[in-house]
Amino acid sequence: MSVTAYDSSFSFRQNELATKGDQGPRGMTAEQYEKFKESPFMKKAKLQEEQTWTMTSERDKQRKQRDPAFNPQDSDFTAPKAFNYEKMVNYYKVLGVDEYASVEEVKKAYKKLSLLYHPDKTANLPKEEQEEHAAIFIELKNAYLTLGDQATRRQYDRDRDHLTAGETVNGFKKKAEKVPFDATAVLKKLQENQKPPGKVTVVELACKVEKFFYGGTKRYMRNRRVIRQQFEFYEDKHFRIDLPKGAQDKWECSMKGGDMNRDTQPDTMKFIVSSKEHPVLDRHGFDLHIKKPILLKPDAHLQPFLNFDLHTVGGRLVLLWGRNPFYSQVGSANAELNVTIQGEAIGPSGLLHFNAKLEAPKGGIDSNLVVVSVVTTYTKIHFHCSVHMDSKIENLQQAIRDVLEWPDEQDVNIAQPSDTKFGIPFQGPSTKLGTVRDVILDSPVRIYEVPMPVRRARELLNSVNAFASS
């Protein structure tokens, strides 16, 4: 039996001697080493070490002032690491603390964040969010292992100081820091939520009835107090209030974004939205009532079927057609038809209410009526309408709407004729008509003809017939 030993280093040395020959003693001589120490490379390396030590000493001094329990030792730099950290990762930002935070501050930050991102706390979240929170929790744990141990933290700080000093001495730019998760904003929000709530600022707004009917948006701007980094100033804040379809009157909506405060949370804005006055409708709860009665023509009782239309909210035209309840009811001059329609008011349960009245047929010409001549400004269309002699300007405006078949909300701008193109405007809609028999109509709607439906033509013929028989 034989035993053989193999020395790889001896064999490698024998191979070098065989191929290269004897190279003499290895390493630098004392003279070469002294010359090497005076080289530019070694001078920069020595300067880098000196700056690193200066930065480390300054950090230790500030940490000692912040944390009296901090006791740095030279043995910290040779102690085993609690975690094999990455020096390019900023673990301070991961935990949301500064570089001089005490061990207790690091522990508190880690506990607060663990309550949010620990896997046991995210069991009810969607799978993607659970995976995201699990990854964040791993980063939090790594940061705590690095910063929670004094020796590991000092070695981590020294390695990062060495990179910073190398950037200063050698003039190269170090790699960007890795921040897989920044808890600064999260901790600030948690701290803000621990403050007592701010006051509630109530703002009353008014919206058109149409926005309650269709749903819509109301915008509001307010100059509010802002506090950032101990600085206080004022800036405009824009709020958007989304009014849902079918909202009740005095609908309430609360949102954050009021004045910021130092000792409490920001104020809460509470908006109360009410309906504006409408030219055609009155609102009562979810119901809408048409202000003026619908006037049916005198011959309406002669037709077996009744049809008419009416304008309600903007963009809405309701057409009614059906059996005529006035049919063959001769002499019912004061008859009224009360109509209620579900679904044409606010919300699905709201009701639209209006009255339809039957005018008594006229057997002759009313001596209290006067005829007013109307001329348009641009198209010079000339037509006439009749009103009561005691009427006001608003009555004449309504008569013009009836002739032109305009909706009740259409503006009618009329004036007395004069040397100017647009005439002399009246003082107001409640002004008495008096002796005015000629007016000028200035309307944004171009008028090229006066509509003449069959019903109005029949009325005209009846009036002419009555006049001839008298």
Side-chain angles (χ1 to χ4, degrees), residues 428-459:
S430 60
T431 305
K432 288 283 188 179
L433 184 63
T435 59
V436 174
R437 298 297 180 265
D438 297 282
V439 295
I440 298 174
L441 174 61
D442 178 26
S443 171
V445 180
R446 291 290 187 269
I447 303 170
Y448 297 101
E449 62 180 4
V450 178
M452 177 65 74
V454 175
R455 186 169 56 185
R456 183 170 292 133
R458 187 187 300 117
E459 291 176 1

Side-chain angles (χ1 to χ4, degrees), residues 120-284:
D120 294 342
K121 305 293 183 180
T122 60
N124 296 326
L125 295 177
K127 186 176 180 180
E128 293 184 0
E129 292 189 25
Q130 288 185 26
E131 294 175 354
E132 181 181 352
H133 281 59
I136 291 175
F137 180 73
I138 292 174
E139 296 295 337
L140 294 173
K141 189 175 181 180
N142 294 342
Y144 178 68
L145 290 174
T146 303
L147 304 182
D149 180 73
Q150 176 175 302
T152 307
R153 180 176 176 180
R154 293 195 72 205
Q155 293 177 47
Y156 168 73
D157 288 337
R158 182 176 175 81
D159 287 345
R160 289 168 60 81
D161 289 342
H162 191 267
L163 291 174
T164 304
E167 182 180 17
T168 305
V169 173
N170 299 314
F172 63 83
K173 188 174 182 180
K174 66 178 182 180
K175 295 182 179 179
E177 290 183 341
K178 298 179 182 178
V179 186
F181 173 71
D182 191 346
T184 307
V186 177
L187 289 174
K188 184 177 180 181
K189 186 175 181 180
L190 290 174
Q191 184 180 6
E192 192 72 26
N193 292 336
Q194 291 176 354
K195 294 181 180 180
K199 66 179 183 179
V200 177
T201 303
V202 179
V203 178
E204 295 186 359
L205 302 174
C207 278
K208 295 181 178 180
V209 175
E210 282 76 6
K211 290 189 177 181
F212 287 88
F213 186 87
Y214 296 109
T217 299
K218 179 71 175 179
R219 298 187 181 275
Y220 174 75
M221 187 187 74
R222 184 174 184 272
N223 192 258
R224 67 163 186 165
R225 180 174 63 246
V226 178
I227 300 175
R228 290 180 188 157
Q229 299 179 353
Q230 306 303 319
F231 293 100
E232 183 176 321
F233 57 94
Y234 286 82
E235 68 177 11
D236 291 337
K237 171 72 174 179
H238 295 266
F239 296 89
R240 169 176 168 162
I241 300 100
D242 292 321
L243 195 66
K245 179 180 179 180
Q248 63 181 5
D249 203 13
K250 295 188 181 299
W251 180 78
E252 296 183 1
C253 170
S254 297
M255 62 181 69
K256 297 180 179 180
D259 290 342
M260 292 185 179
N261 307 301
R262 297 189 182 276
D263 301 326
T264 62
Q265 298 181 29
D267 295 345
T268 300
M269 302 296 297
K270 181 179 180 181
F271 298 100
I272 301 177
V273 187
S274 304
S275 301
K276 287 183 178 179
E277 183 72 19
H278 196 274
V280 178
L281 303 164
D282 283 329
R283 178 174 181 177
H284 300 281

Side-chain angles (χ1 to χ4, degrees), residues 37-97:
K37 288 197 299 183
E38 297 300 323
S39 66
F41 172 78
M42 288 301 294
K43 286 183 178 179
K44 286 188 176 181
K46 183 179 180 181
L47 182 59
Q48 184 176 355
E49 286 296 329
E50 290 176 354
Q51 289 195 11
T52 301
W53 177 249
T54 301
M55 295 170 67
T56 301
S57 301
E58 183 63 27
R59 176 181 283 102
D60 290 342
K61 186 187 298 182
Q62 295 196 31
R63 279 191 62 188
K64 186 69 176 177
Q65 295 176 354
R66 180 94 163 259
D67 183 9
F70 174 63
N71 185 23
Q73 301 290 334
D74 291 339
S75 58
D76 292 339
F77 298 110
T78 57
K81 298 176 182 178
F83 174 68
N84 190 20
Y85 54 79
E86 293 184 46
K87 57 186 177 182
M88 296 308 299
V89 176
N90 192 332
Y91 293 113
Y92 291 103
K93 285 189 176 181
V94 172
L95 288 180
V97 296

Side-chain angles (χ1 to χ4, degrees), residues 297-299 301-302 329-333 358-364:
K297 299 305 177 180
D299 62 347
H301 64 286
L302 301 177
Q329 302 295 324
V330 182
S332 55
L358 183 66
E359 291 183 337
K362 298 179 174 60

